[in-house]
Amino acid sequence: MAGEGIYFDGRSAKARIVSVIEDGLMLSFQGEDTPQQRWSIKGLHPIDPPSPGQPYRLSHEDYPSQRLVIRDGELVARLVARSPHLKGGYSLRDIGHLLGWTVGGLAACAGLAYVALTLLPQPLAAMMPAGWRERTGLQMETAMAGSSKRCATPEGEHAIGTLLANLAEGTPDMPPVSVHVYDIPVLNAFAVNGGRIIVTSKLIAQADAPEELAGVLAHEIGHVAHHHPEAQSLRLAGMEILSSVISGSNGGSFASNVALLATVLRHSRAAESEADAYAEDMLTHASIDTQGMKRFFEKVLKLEGGSKPEANSTLAEIGNIFATHPGTEERIKQIKPLPPGVTPKPAMPDSEWRALKKICA
Ligand SMILES: [Zn+2]
């Protein structure tokens, strides 16, 4: 029995009407501009829990940017009855419950819980499904950006693409990332879940050469490669569960609270060292001058010191790049020059750098 659905291919906003059937272990659908596709039921994740009379939105771990919306209530009921994981999917709360399993039993002993929260999230983060990374990353970016304008000119986007391609040279296993610039008057750049890297207009304005931005991006890609943002989210979910176990209350959605996001984005010194080491390797393999990163941080330290940004800005709670990347001064000293014999290459052509500097104009 076929049910009606709407399919979004992740490339355009176009809604395509499709007919959906269960086909053994697969969900198969086809229709308008859509040749037959077969998604494993096992890999499906509901975006919201199914609710009678509401369209049921699904993502799939193998196709994180695509969406299938099922409008046929009977089909939804059949799917959920045979595959209980389709009742709620992964949400921070579920992960919290998962951690709660561990942490709940340990709640009487705060010392052990602390150890669990310190050690568990990192290996767990590497195992989280793509759909979860994608969804929580989008939530975090939306919460962070608030009402600030996203800066995106075709030339500027092209320049970012060139810079990423140059960085990837010599690091073929670089994780997929997307870099988004926002018009925010606080100097910062950070990675959130799902490989999203957010760069503020003030950071672009303060960079005097593409190698400076290359250094900052290589560092953020290091956080992505080590799953640091995801680990921090899980750590926070664990802490929320721990505090609700103790106080008997329910925690709210972490992404709705910018102050909580600040906790997620503040990395440990160990995470900073890992990201720095990754960045130094990446720049060296790409023959991009590592001293760009060094010059940039020295300059910024002189300009801003450890100061808190103006209180009315969107990112005030989060602070500038020194608040989210601690230990800057000692870290600057550790950045080594390119090895002898390696001739530095420009991170991007001058014309593209000029276009990128104007991305928020
Ligand atoms: Zn960092």
Side-chain angles (χ1 to χ4, degrees), residues 219 269 272 276 293-294 296-302 305-306 320-335:
H219 175 90
R269 303 243 168 153
E272 287 309 311
D276 281 341
M293 174 154 73
K294 192 167 185 162
F296 184 68
F297 280 120
E298 281 166 352
K299 179 171 62 189
V300 171
L301 209 53
K302 235 184 250 165
N320 65 22
I321 198 156
F322 302 118
T324 48
H325 298 72
T328 311
E329 259 173 289
E330 307 95 275
R331 288 171 43 219
I332 292 173
K333 290 198 197 107
Q334 314 251 332
I335 304 172

Side-chain angles (χ1 to χ4, degrees), residues 103-118:
V103 176
L106 301 177
C109 180
L112 275 179
Y114 175 80
V115 171
L117 287 177
T118 310

Side-chain angles (χ1 to χ4, degrees), residues 38-77:
R38 298 179 82 232
W39 286 7
S40 68
I41 291 176
K42 190 165 59 88
L44 292 171
H45 295 297
I47 291 165
D48 316 296
S51 165
Q54 293 296 315
Y56 180 50
R57 300 188 299 145
L58 289 162
S59 65
H60 194 279
E61 63 187 18
D62 295 335
Y63 319 99
S65 60
Q66 303 179 23
R67 295 288 179 268
L68 181 64
V69 183
I70 304 180
R71 292 203 286 205
D72 178 334
E74 276 177 39
L75 176 58
V76 174

Side-chain angles (χ1 to χ4, degrees), residues 89-108:
Y90 289 92
S91 69
L92 260 190
R93 200 161 296 167
D94 293 338
I95 291 148
H97 288 155
L98 192 75
L99 277 178
W101 244 61
T102 316
V103 176
L106 301 177

Side-chain angles (χ1 to χ4, degrees), residues 158-198:
H158 189 266
I160 291 172
T162 303
L163 181 54
L164 289 175
N166 287 343
L167 280 171
E169 206 172 307
T171 309
D173 58 347
M174 175 177 126
V177 295
S178 51
V179 175
H180 297 161
V181 181
Y182 282 92
D183 193 4
I184 296 176
V186 172
L187 200 158
N188 209 337
F190 42 83
V192 298
N193 297 3
R196 290 168 183 268
I197 296 175
I198 293 157

